[in-house]
């Protein structure tokens, strides 16, 4: 390799001489020709001139800057580029890696990088700059938020994320030089975000190294214990490992199969998490070693599996075929466990060279530089379902109002297997197992999900909740009349994408309803008070109401969190509440305001605390509520607040809509007794005068009968449904007890509608 010739294109002033190394740092800094050689080894057509120019440019730009280790700063981008050569990435990625910190940390600008290296590289470097800035500002924010930003930032080009991961890996490798406090934070962030992300992109080596470096930093003691145990077990089993390797390859060879067989030690972090999950130690070979059999093609893989299974006893329940059903991150392999030589359990992974490469390098394996096959990004998009997963994740993010929700969904989806279905036009839709048509509809398009009203599976009408089977062809029927989905769908949907979209759509719909109701209440109050309402005027009063928008104010009024009169006072400080409101607290007077004909009463008439609005309040229509009951308020847009006893089965209907629940309690004034509605059911014996006896008991005990409904259930019994008015729960219980004491009464129960 000729260093001199490869630098001849570079500006002569910057001779790429590696600076002297401080004693502290660990390894010799890579030289310019080393990097070019690495790239050329997998990409003979590499643009050496471009690599050399980037090397010199970055070195000059970082100049005399140093890292925490005392190394020249330039050693960092150079190592990041080197990591990416291990992933065999294209020239643009390697060059962008060399330049990745220049915009942020040096005088370099995007325009200059565009001019010198072209727009593709300029865009990659800018993507990394954005990420770095986000990292700095969001340090305090929650990790979910970081992840969200990270993913959104790479929605343009996945190579930005590959460089970011390499950047993080090098920073983790050199973490020992960083102050302790930030070391912890960086390690946590790596373990929570970057390592799983690398895993989801199929980059297992990257994931394992990130995990182990984090583990070592976060729990040095545990790390040392596991490491030592691992070392001693490996030492003890050294001969056995060699024996298994040679026996496996001999057996395969005898059957005409050429295979590469090797044992691979598991990583301390994965052993540690397994120990914690299953609360077991590790002592067997299979706890610390896995074996790989790598063959030429898929047919050989299955033949090898057959040979292994006929040579050694199989451990039941451990066989998995990820070749016919690959994992979401593109992983393909046959897994099995047998009782091998020395009566040891042996874990085997059987796969082709190509699968092996994808298993280690993941998404990066698709970025191999090949001429005439489109740009690496296009190849990634086309070939990699790992990239599809990232796209899918980004789609969820754009639906989700809050990133914690998103994280919860992502975690759930990690553990699902997949089911593959088709649209009528033959487009493949991959969903987690147990997904139904609702999930399918949202996977096709959010609008399709929101307006879905029915479906056909394989040409036959079926409910939207039907669980999908592999190979189903699904036609979703939509209706323009349905703009938002029923909120109950959220609990039916299996995928995070569908749930987030449903939640968002129903939230918006409910909010719009509340805002509409609030606006009517506000406008009514203004009309009554004969003052002018104008949105502009309210806009000026928003700070006083501590709300961000007019919609927010209206929704708050509609929801009962704010009174319309507060809105009026915020807009017109001189505004005085009108007469009706002044009755609040004087229940005796307010009682007289009870609206004629309906059960709805003015708020001031119902002695309940926790309601701060002008919404009409009423009791549960089928069963009422009485003091002594534990109660909740349910808000119905357009109707008002309904008070239910907590035991009411009707509350089930509102379980999915916590935003409609209002915390309320009784505020009864003992000196001015009031009556409250309750309903009971009485089974009485059909004999003359029995009804009169029941009415008498109720009247004698000061209960008012509001209404009676009779139903003959059998020749001997009549079922009476009686609406009563009583003072409180004690009063009601006394009446029920007296009724039960009557011979003509077979059964009495309170009814909660
Ligand atoms: Mn960096």
């Amino acid at each position: 390799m000729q260093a001199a010739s490869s630098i001849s294109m570079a500006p002569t002033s910057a001779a790429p001489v590696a600076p002297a190394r401080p004693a502290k740092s660990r390894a010799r800094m890579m030289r310019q020709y080393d990097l070019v050689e690495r790239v050329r080894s997998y990409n003979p057509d590499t643009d050496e001139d471009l690599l050399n120019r980037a090397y010199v440019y970055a070195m000059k730009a970082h100049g005399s800057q140093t890292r925490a280790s005392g190394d020249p700063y330039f050693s960092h981008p150079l190592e990041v580029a080197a990591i990416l050569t291990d992933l065999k990435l294209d020239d643009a990625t390697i060059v962008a890696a060399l330049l990745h910190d220049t915009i942020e940390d040096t005088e370099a600008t995007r325009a200059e990088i565009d001019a010198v290296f072209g727009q593709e590289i300029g865009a990659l470097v800018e993507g990394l700059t954005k990420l770095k800035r986000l990292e700095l500002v969001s340090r305090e924010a929650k990790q979910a938020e970081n992840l969200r930003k990270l993913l959104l930032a790479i929605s343009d080009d996945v190579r930005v994320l590959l460089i970011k991961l390499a950047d993080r890996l090098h920073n983790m490798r050199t973490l020992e030089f960083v102050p302790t406090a930030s070391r912890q934070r960086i390690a946590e962030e790596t373990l929570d975000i970057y390592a799983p992300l690398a895993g989801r992109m199929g980059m297992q080596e990257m994931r394992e190294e990130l995990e182990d470096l984090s583990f070592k930093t976060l729990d040095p003691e545990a790390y040392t214990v596991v490491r030592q145990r691992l070392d001693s077990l490996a030492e003890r089993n050294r001969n056995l490992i060699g024996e298994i390797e040679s026996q496996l390859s001999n057996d395969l060879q005898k059957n005409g199969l050429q295979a590469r067989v090797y044992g691979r030690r598991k990583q301390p972090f994965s052993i540690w998490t397994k120990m914690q999950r299953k609360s077991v130690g590790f002592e067997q070979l299979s706890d610390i070693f896995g074996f790989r059999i790598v063959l030429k093609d898929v047919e050989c893989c299955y033949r090898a599996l057959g040979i292994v299974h006929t040579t050694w006893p199989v451990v039941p329940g451990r066989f998995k075929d990820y070749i016919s059903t690959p994992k979401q991150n593109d992983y393909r392999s046959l897994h099995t466990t047998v009782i091998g030589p020395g009566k040891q359990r042996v874990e085997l992974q059987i796969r082709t060279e190509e699968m092996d490469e994808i298993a280690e390098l993941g998404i990066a394996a698709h970025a191999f530089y090949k001429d005439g096959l489109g740009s690496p990004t296009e190849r990634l998009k086309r070939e990699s379902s790992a990239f599809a997963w990232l796209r899918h994740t980004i789609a969820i993010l754009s639906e989700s109002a809050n990133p914690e929700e998103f994280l919860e969904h992502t975690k759930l989806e990690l553990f699902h297997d997949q089911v593959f279905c088709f649209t009528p036009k033959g487009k493949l839709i991959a969903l987690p197992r147990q997904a139904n048509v609702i999930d399918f509809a949202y996977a096709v398009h959010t609008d399709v999900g929101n307006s879905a009203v029915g479906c056909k599976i394989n040409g036959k009408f079926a409910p939207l909740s039907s669980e999908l089977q592999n190979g189903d062809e699904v036609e979703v029927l939509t209706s323009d009349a349905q703009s938002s989905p029923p909120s109950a769908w959220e609990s039916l949907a299996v995928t995070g994408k569908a749930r987030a979209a449903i939640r968002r759509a129903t939230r918006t719909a409910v909010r719009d309803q509340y805002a509409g109701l609030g606006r009517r209440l506000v406008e009514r109050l203004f009309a009554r008070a004969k003052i002018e309402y104008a949105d502009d005027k309210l806009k000026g009063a928003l700070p006083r109401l501590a709300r961000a928008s007019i919609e927010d104010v209206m929704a708050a009024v509609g929801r009962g969190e704010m009174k319309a009169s507060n809105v009026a006072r915020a807009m017109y400080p001189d505004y005085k509440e009108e007469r009706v409101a002044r009755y609040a607290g004087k229940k005796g007077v307010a009682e007289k305001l009870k609206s004629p004909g309906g059960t709805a009463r003015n708020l001031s008439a119902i002695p309940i605390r926790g309601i701060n609005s002008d919404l009409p309040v009423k009791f549960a229509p089928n069963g009422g509520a009485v003091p002594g009951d534990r109660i909740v308020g349910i808000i119905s847009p357009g109707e008002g607040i309904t008070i239910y006893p907590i035991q009411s089965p009707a509350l089930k209907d509102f379980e999915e809509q916590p935003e409609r629940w209002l915390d309320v309690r009784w505020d009864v004034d003992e000196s001015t007794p009031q009556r409250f509605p309750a309903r009971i059911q009485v089974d009485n014996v059909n004999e003359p005068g029995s009804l009169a006896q029941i009415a008498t008991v109720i009247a004698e005990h000061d209960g008012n009968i509001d209404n009676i409904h009779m139903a003959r259930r059998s020749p001997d019994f009549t079922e009476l449904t009686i609406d009563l008015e009583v003072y409180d729960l004690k009063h009601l219980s006394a009446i029920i007890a007296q009724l039960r004491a009557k011979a003509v009464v077979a059964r009495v129960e309170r009814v909660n509608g």
Side-chain angles (χ1 to χ4, degrees):
M1 57 191 102
Q2 288 295 317
S5 68
S6 46
I7 56 167
S8 59
M9 306 292 216
T12 47
S13 58
V17 176
R21 315 280 298 169
K24 231 172 157 186
S25 90
R26 302 178 307 172
R28 184 186 72 88
M29 188 158 105
M30 183 186 293
R31 286 166 194 273
Q32 186 168 2
Y33 58 79
D34 292 331
L35 181 73
V36 174
E37 247 346 278
R38 273 168 173 260
V39 178
R40 201 167 31 207
S41 70
Y42 63 84
N43 175 15
D45 300 327
T46 178
D47 183 348
E48 290 181 28
D49 170 47
L50 179 72
L51 293 175
N52 285 320
R53 278 190 292 133
Y55 184 101
V56 173
Y57 183 93
M59 189 172 68
K60 275 172 74 180
H62 287 293
S64 60
Q65 292 172 351
T66 54
R67 307 196 79 214
S69 61
D71 283 346
Y73 192 90
F74 177 60
S75 65
H76 165 65
L78 189 54
E79 288 299 331
V80 173
I83 291 169
L84 293 165
T85 61
D86 289 341
L87 300 174
K88 302 181 184 172
L89 288 167
D90 66 305
D91 286 352
T93 310
I94 305 297
V95 168
L98 288 169
L99 304 175
H100 82 269
D101 280 330
T102 55
I103 295 184
E104 181 68 7
D105 297 341
T106 78
E107 306 282 293
T109 61
R110 164 82 199 265
E112 193 179 284
I113 290 177
D114 276 3
V116 181
F117 299 101
Q119 288 205 357
E120 183 189 5
I121 290 167
L124 289 172
V125 178
E126 184 164 273
L128 284 147
T129 308
K130 277 193 204 147
L131 273 185
K132 188 162 181 180
R133 287 185 189 148
L134 284 172
E135 228 174 39
L136 291 175
V137 298
S138 66
R139 205 137 265 181
E140 297 301 311
K142 290 191 180 137
Q143 272 155 346
E145 186 60 25
N146 284 343
L147 177 57
R148 178 232 252 313
K149 285 169 177 162
L150 205 69
L151 286 165
L152 288 174
I154 57 105
S155 55
D156 289 342
D157 195 328
V158 71
R159 289 177 297 178
V160 171
L161 190 54
L162 293 173
I163 300 170
K164 183 71 205 170
L165 286 170
D167 176 43
R168 177 52 64 122
L169 181 58
H170 184 244
N171 286 335
M172 286 301 295
R173 283 177 183 171
T174 52
L175 199 59
E176 58 191 301
F177 303 109
V178 170
T180 323
S182 32
R183 210 187 294 169
Q184 291 274 333
R185 179 186 51 73
I186 294 170
E188 268 171 33
E189 201 177 64
T190 302
L191 198 55
D192 290 345
I193 295 178
Y194 293 95
L197 211 47
R200 285 315 303 257
M201 293 169 76
M203 305 162 74
Q204 297 316 325
E205 275 181 13
M206 173 84 79
R207 196 203 73 210
E208 285 179 354
E209 193 177 348
L210 287 172
E211 279 173 353
D212 264 20
L213 290 166
S214 308
F215 180 33
K216 196 161 137 189
T217 308
L218 292 171
D219 198 343
E221 261 176 61
Y223 179 82
T224 310
V225 168
V226 175
R227 175 107 252 167
Q228 281 170 353
R229 178 111 176 100
L230 203 50
D231 286 344
S232 76
L233 273 168
E235 184 56 36
R236 205 185 305 159
N237 288 296
R238 191 153 36 140
N239 295 333
L240 186 58
I241 290 157
E243 193 187 318
I244 292 171
E245 283 171 356
S246 57
Q247 203 168 333
L248 276 170
S249 44
N250 287 343
D251 283 348
L252 293 172
Q253 199 157 21
K254 259 186 265 159
N255 288 277
L257 283 176
Q258 284 300 327
R260 189 158 59 86
V261 181
Y262 62 99
R264 193 169 169 286
R265 210 165 127 157
K266 294 180 183 175
Q267 298 300 307
F269 181 73
S270 68
I271 292 172
W272 176 244
T273 45
K274 191 175 156 199
M275 280 169 73
Q276 303 216 303
R277 209 173 47 235
K278 298 190 176 164
S279 62
V280 292
F282 55 105
E283 51 207 64
Q284 292 202 339
L285 181 70
S286 62
D287 293 326
I288 60 157
F289 255 83
F291 289 84
R292 296 216 174 121
I293 304 177
V294 182
L295 301 113
K296 144 170 136 276
D297 56 28
V298 172
E299 197 210 318
C300 293
C301 291
Y302 285 103
R303 279 177 58 205
L305 179 74
I307 293 161
V308 167
H309 277 186
T310 47
T311 311
W312 287 297
V314 181
V315 177
R318 299 298 302 267
F319 174 67
K320 294 222 172 64
D321 184 349
Y322 292 118
I323 289 182
S324 64
T325 321
K327 289 192 188 178
Q328 268 191 357
N329 64 9
D330 277 358
Y331 178 85
R332 298 168 82 202
S333 208
L334 300 173
H335 287 191
T336 190
T337 302
V338 296
I339 307 293
K343 298 267 176 267
Q344 284 275 3
R345 272 174 172 237
V346 178
E347 280 185 15
L348 294 170
Q349 298 174 338
I350 305 171
R351 52 170 83 147
T352 67
E353 290 286 355
E354 193 197 348
M355 292 172 194
D356 195 46
E357 187 132 59
I358 290 174
E360 293 305 329
L361 304 181
I363 203 167
H366 296 277
F368 282 157
Y369 195 89
K370 281 174 201 157
D371 266 343
L373 290 168
S375 80
T377 321
E378 282 161 11
R379 286 173 47 75
L380 282 170
K381 285 179 187 172
R382 191 172 59 234
E383 294 179 20
S384 168
S385 66
F387 191 80
W389 173 79
L390 283 172
R391 288 253 153 225
H392 174 68
T393 306
I394 291 160
I396 295 181
L397 283 171
S398 59
E399 298 296 335
S400 174
N402 107 37
E404 273 71 36
E405 243 171 56
F406 154 73
L407 264 197
E408 166 200 334
H409 298 321
T410 325
K411 278 185 198 145
L412 284 177
E413 283 181 8
L414 285 176
F415 301 107
H416 276 113
D417 281 319
Q418 284 180 293
V419 52
F420 298 95
C421 303
F422 299 92
T423 67
K425 285 184 181 160
K427 191 180 164 206
L428 181 74
I429 304 281
L431 292 163
R433 210 159 276 286
Q434 282 163 2
N436 54 45
V437 184
I438 296 171
D439 298 300
F440 182 92
Y442 279 97
V444 173
H445 196 280
T446 305
D447 291 342
V448 174
N450 284 342
S451 58
V453 291
C455 72
K456 285 181 182 177
I457 299 177
N458 303 321
K460 284 186 192 141
F461 283 103
L464 285 167
S465 57
S466 310
E467 188 177 320
L468 293 169
Q469 307 300 323
N470 260 324
D472 277 349
E473 186 190 296
V474 184
E475 183 185 352
V476 179
L477 309 169
T478 61
S479 161
D480 290 341
Q482 177 173 294
S483 59
S484 74
S487 58
W489 282 10
E490 197 193 321
S491 54
L492 290 175
V494 171
T495 55
K497 181 181 157 75
R499 279 201 202 160
I502 294 162
R503 204 179 291 187
R504 202 184 73 155
T506 51
R507 226 182 244 158
T508 310
V510 169
R511 197 192 117 101
D512 287 351
Q513 279 183 307
Y514 283 133
L517 171 65
R519 185 172 281 275
R520 281 200 302 280
L521 290 167
V522 168
E523 284 174 354
R524 205 195 306 154
L525 177 129
F526 275 69
R528 271 199 316 247
K530 300 198 169 47
I531 43 178
E532 186 206 349
Y533 173 81
D535 275 359
D536 280 350
K537 182 97 181 156
L538 177 52
K539 208 173 259 170
L542 288 175
R544 246 164 287 156
L545 292 163
R547 289 296 198 282
S549 68
I550 293 177
E551 282 291 287
D552 284 349
V553 171
M554 296 307 184
V557 173
R559 211 177 272 129
E561 292 166 1
M562 190 189 285
K563 286 185 178 185
S565 55
N566 292 349
V567 179
R569 212 172 307 115
M571 289 166 69
Y572 299 95
D574 294 341
Y575 168 78
K576 292 206 174 47
E577 276 185 59
E578 54 180 314
R579 272 188 91 238
V580 180
R582 264 189 268 128
Y583 288 109
K586 295 184 185 173
K587 288 147 204 139
V589 182
E591 174 80 351
K592 300 198 177 89
L593 293 169
K594 180 174 170 179
S595 59
T599 48
R601 315 179 192 189
N602 186 289
L603 153 72
S604 48
I606 292 187
I608 283 169
R609 280 195 215 165
I611 297 172
N612 181 25
S613 85
D614 341 59
L615 300 184
V617 180
K618 61 178 181 178
F619 286 108
N622 302 308
V626 301
D629 285 333
R630 281 183 55 216
I631 47 172
V632 292
I634 295 291
I635 309 165
S636 303
E639 287 174 33
I641 299 165
T642 309
I643 307 295
Y644 287 91
I646 199 79
Q647 71 270 19
S648 171
L651 289 172
K652 256 207 145 33
D653 297 345
F654 310 109
E655 259 170 15
E656 304 291 329
Q657 299 152 273
E659 72 281 358
R660 296 182 59 185
W661 291 59
L662 210 56
D663 231 354
V664 294
R665 61 203 160 85
W666 296 100
D667 187 20
V668 184
D669 182 355
E670 307 260 320
S671 62
T672 53
Q674 261 180 275
R675 291 177 182 274
F676 299 88
R679 179 176 289 178
I680 56 174
Q681 208 165 63
V682 182
D683 289 350
N684 74 309
V685 179
N686 287 333
E687 60 175 60
S690 66
L691 186 56
Q693 286 190 46
I694 289 164
T696 306
V697 169
I698 293 172
E700 275 176 355
H701 290 86
D702 198 18
N704 278 354
I705 295 177
D706 223 26
N707 190 23
I708 296 188
H709 176 84
M710 292 167 60
R712 174 146 312 185
R713 289 275 172 252
S714 73
D716 303 332
F717 289 95
T718 303
E719 185 186 270
L720 303 174
T721 303
I722 306 176
D723 286 323
L724 290 173
E725 285 195 326
V726 297
Y727 294 110
D728 55 22
L729 190 57
K730 222 166 104 188
H731 186 198
L732 178 64
S733 307
I735 291 173
I736 290 174
Q738 291 299 325
L739 287 171
R740 282 183 182 149
K742 288 281 160 193
V744 292
V745 172
R747 187 186 68 98
V748 189
E749 299 296 340
R750 178 166 179 200
V751 178
N752 291 293

